């Protein structure tokens, strides 16, 4: 197989993988969760 055909196949595979992962991220976003962080008592004290 000529080098040009191998190069085109490798580049096409990489482009397909990037496009497929971008499509997956755009169509199946992660679920949002609530994050609760306790505040230190120094930040709650009035100065």
């Amino acid at each position: 197989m000529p080098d040009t055909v191998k190069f085109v196949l490798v580049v096409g595979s990489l482009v397909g993988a990037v496009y497929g992962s971008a499509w997956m991220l755009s169509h199946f976003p992660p679920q949002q969760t609530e994050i609760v962080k306790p505040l230190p008592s120094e930040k709650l004290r009035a100065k």
Side-chain angles (χ1 to χ4, degrees), residues 13-29:
S13 298
L14 291 173
V15 168
V18 169
Y19 181 80
S21 58
W23 184 85
M24 288 290 290
L25 286 173
S26 66
H27 282 81
F28 301 105

